Amino acid sequence: MSKQYETVIGLEVHVELATKTKIFCGCSTAFGGAPNTHTCPVCTGMPGSLPVLNKQVVEYALAVGLATNCSINQYCKFDRKNYFYPDNPQNYQISQLYLPICHDGWVEIETTAGKKKIGIHEIHMEEDAGKLIHDEWDDCSLVDYNRSGVPLIEIVSEPDMRSADEVIAYLEKLRLIIQYLGASDCKLQEGSMRADVNLSVREAGAEQFGTRTEMKNLNSFKAIARAIEGERKRQIELIEEGKKVIQETRRWDDNKESSHAMRSKEDAQDYRYFPDPDLMPVWISDEWIQRVKDRQPELRTEKLTRYQKEFQIPQYDAEILTSSKHMADIFEATVELCSKPKEVSNWLMVETMRLLKEHEQDPEEIHFSPKHLAELIKLVDAGTINRTVAKTVFEEIFANDVDPEQYVEEKGLKVVNDEGALRTEIQKIIDANPQSVEDYRNGKQKAMGFIVGQTMRAMKGKADPGLVNQIVKELMDKA
Ligand SMILES: [Zn+2]
């Protein structure tokens, strides 16, 4: 019988904080500027330049720490992590080793076996590095320091996860907490949230951990799940063949669905950490912690309960609506304007989710205004347009945020309630289809459906279906 193995996973999650300026200088953190335009002597590591800590970074780190049940190191310090790499102009990264701002927290995730707590070892503040661009055509490498000095928090979990599903649930949980706090947009694709996976396997029931590897370069939940499965298999194969797993950093290649060794894994002593002499230690008073606590917004779990109670919508709906802070904001703003929570929820859950999927977009990318969705709902409610037309108008709102009233007016999409005009149209269609009248007389109900369909098509979907049915029946009975 083959042996049973247990996978042990811990995560290091880097999150770029949503501050306007960098952690130690006044340069912009905006994504996507021309190379090296958001830079100054501090973030390009010029000799003699001095860092000054951005207070907002401490506040965001505190907010995340408090929301993940961490204890706070009220006296915390910055340390230099020394290493040479061209994207790191100072030849050291300012980080925290000895006294990180938050430690010993936890978050709760849902697993197939019920709720589970995942421990958070620590959260520390640090600066991001620049970006190297390898130009294969010109056979050279270029460096862009716009990202150098962008504030990060690194959230280090305990090795408490046992499967890819648990890892994804943990990441989702962190992402939602941080997005709700407004501390980061947490976009994996753009790199504002990045996860390194530490993984080892051991025989089921073993006390000691196996040798772990670290995997980098994971920029989607799907890539993370595939990398975990791939690495787990690789390590089990090595063990079964009697070989050793080597402690190393590996790069996952999601296209090839395989990983390769990058470098042997360093330990803390390899970096020659020492306290940064340019930065004062940070003292976080009880009052400061209290102020941050008082400002904490409503988080997802609280919204979930409130939506079901206040708006009487099912838990399933509430879960989808709150799965993105941005979508929850749109939901609440729209309900405020039209007072129809279930209707708003339906437009978001059905049509919006369908269009997002079609365009391969995230709920974070929804850009229509609550005002326009509210107006659309009012137009349907007042019977000005029917539901079929409303769907096409919504597609325009979704894509271009059009004003529905104006759009319906311009395109002539209002329901035709002019009974006289409808009668004339239907009579024409009946006259042109004598066979249908014959079939109808012989008891084929379908024949009536055919005439109704022809009428709706002739009216370009704008007729009121109830009224059309009524007139068709009346005229066919007479014919
Ligand atoms: Zn700068």
Side-chain angles (χ1 to χ4, degrees), residues 147-159:
R147 204 179 62 183
S148 170
V150 167
L152 296 176
I153 49 172
E154 181 175 340
I155 305 165
V156 183
S157 84
E158 299 292 354

Side-chain angles (χ1 to χ4, degrees), residues 38-39 44 59 95 108 115-116 175 184 281 322 326 401 413 446:
H38 302 161
T39 54
T44 50
E59 303 224 329
S95 180
E108 195 169 65
K115 291 186 193 310
K116 178 174 176 179
R175 193 170 64 113
S184 173
T322 57
H326 184 53
D401 197 23
L413 296 172
K446 260 192 204 163

Side-chain angles (χ1 to χ4, degrees), residues 428-452:
K428 255 198 270 170
I429 293 166
I430 290 177
D431 291 346
N433 293 284
Q435 186 60 48
S436 295
V437 178
E438 187 65 33
D439 289 349
Y440 180 70
R441 275 203 202 113
N442 294 331
K444 288 190 186 162
Q445 286 297 317
K446 260 192 204 163
M448 190 180 129
F450 175 75
I451 301 294
V452 170

Side-chain angles (χ1 to χ4, degrees), residues 33-284:
N36 298 305
T37 51
H38 302 161
T39 54
C40 74
V42 174
C43 56
T44 50
M46 295 297 163
S49 63
L50 287 170
V52 178
L53 178 61
N54 181 340
K55 189 176 170 190
Q56 185 62 49
V57 173
V58 181
E59 303 224 329
Y60 279 147
L62 274 177
V64 175
L66 293 171
T68 52
N69 310 293
C70 285
S71 304
I72 307 298
N73 271 328
Q74 290 184 263
Y75 179 78
C76 80
K77 288 194 303 182
F78 286 94
D79 305 294
R80 288 186 179 180
K81 179 181 181 180
N82 297 284
Y83 68 96
F84 171 77
Y85 205 65
D87 64 5
N88 169 29
Q90 300 156 139
N91 290 341
Y92 57 82
Q93 178 195 27
I94 305 179
S95 180
Q96 296 190 295
L97 178 74
Y98 300 106
L99 290 168
I101 183 162
C102 311
H103 61 99
D104 297 304
W106 52 267
V107 293
E108 195 169 65
I109 59 165
E110 302 279 346
T111 74
T112 43
K115 291 186 193 310
K116 178 174 176 179
K117 271 186 189 174
I118 305 295
I120 290 173
H121 182 76
E122 66 171 69
I123 300 176
H124 60 255
M125 302 177 279
E126 61 185 25
E127 56 181 342
D128 209 346
K131 218 178 218 164
L132 287 179
I133 298 133
H134 304 291
D135 188 330
E136 283 170 42
W137 293 103
D138 280 342
D139 194 24
C140 68
S141 289
L142 302 165
V143 65
D144 176 6
Y145 289 123
N146 283 352
R147 204 179 62 183
S148 170
V150 167
L152 296 176
I153 49 172
E154 181 175 340
I155 305 165
V156 183
S157 84
E158 299 292 354
D160 288 345
M161 286 157 274
R162 296 291 175 267
S163 66
D165 286 347
E166 290 187 12
V167 168
I168 306 296
Y170 168 74
L171 284 170
E172 281 280 13
K173 185 85 189 197
L174 281 186
R175 193 170 64 113
L176 281 166
I177 290 173
I178 297 168
Q179 280 178 349
Y180 271 82
L181 290 171
S184 173
D185 56 13
C186 292
K187 288 184 182 164
L188 272 87
Q189 262 79 3
E190 282 182 17
S192 56
M193 186 182 199
R194 315 194 276 266
D196 299 340
V197 176
N198 286 297
L199 184 150
S200 63
V201 296
R202 63 178 168 188
E203 258 184 68
E207 287 277 308
Q208 276 204 313
F209 288 133
T211 307
R212 69 192 160 96
T213 60
E214 182 184 9
M215 271 180 300
K216 290 189 177 286
N217 196 31
L218 304 168
N219 59 7
S220 71
F221 285 161
K222 278 182 192 151
I224 290 168
R226 282 194 288 263
I228 287 172
E229 203 34 54
E231 182 58 12
R232 173 189 138 79
K233 275 198 192 129
R234 193 188 69 88
Q235 290 191 13
I236 292 175
E237 272 170 27
L238 283 174
I239 295 167
E240 302 255 288
E241 288 167 13
K243 293 177 185 160
K244 273 207 164 88
V245 177
I246 300 163
Q247 186 179 335
E248 63 191 357
T249 302
R250 301 180 67 84
R251 179 174 280 267
W252 175 253
D253 186 331
D254 204 42
N255 294 321
K256 291 185 192 150
E257 294 204 20
S258 71
S259 64
H260 59 265
M262 268 168 81
R263 54 172 188 257
S264 65
K265 170 80 182 161
E266 310 80 358
D267 283 322
Q269 67 263 24
D270 297 326
Y271 289 110
R272 313 292 295 176
Y273 277 94
F274 64 87
D276 192 300
D278 289 341
L279 285 157
M280 299 280 281
V282 184
W283 170 247
I284 301 162

Side-chain angles (χ1 to χ4, degrees), residues 276-304:
D276 192 300
D278 289 341
L279 285 157
M280 299 280 281
V282 184
W283 170 247
I284 301 162
S285 64
D286 294 341
E287 292 74 30
W288 195 3
I289 294 177
Q290 195 53 47
R291 275 205 304 279
V292 173
K293 263 188 193 158
D294 293 344
R295 276 204 307 261
Q296 297 287 70
E298 181 185 39
L299 294 175
R300 195 215 184 179
T301 353
E302 295 145 23
K303 254 194 211 310
L304 209 53

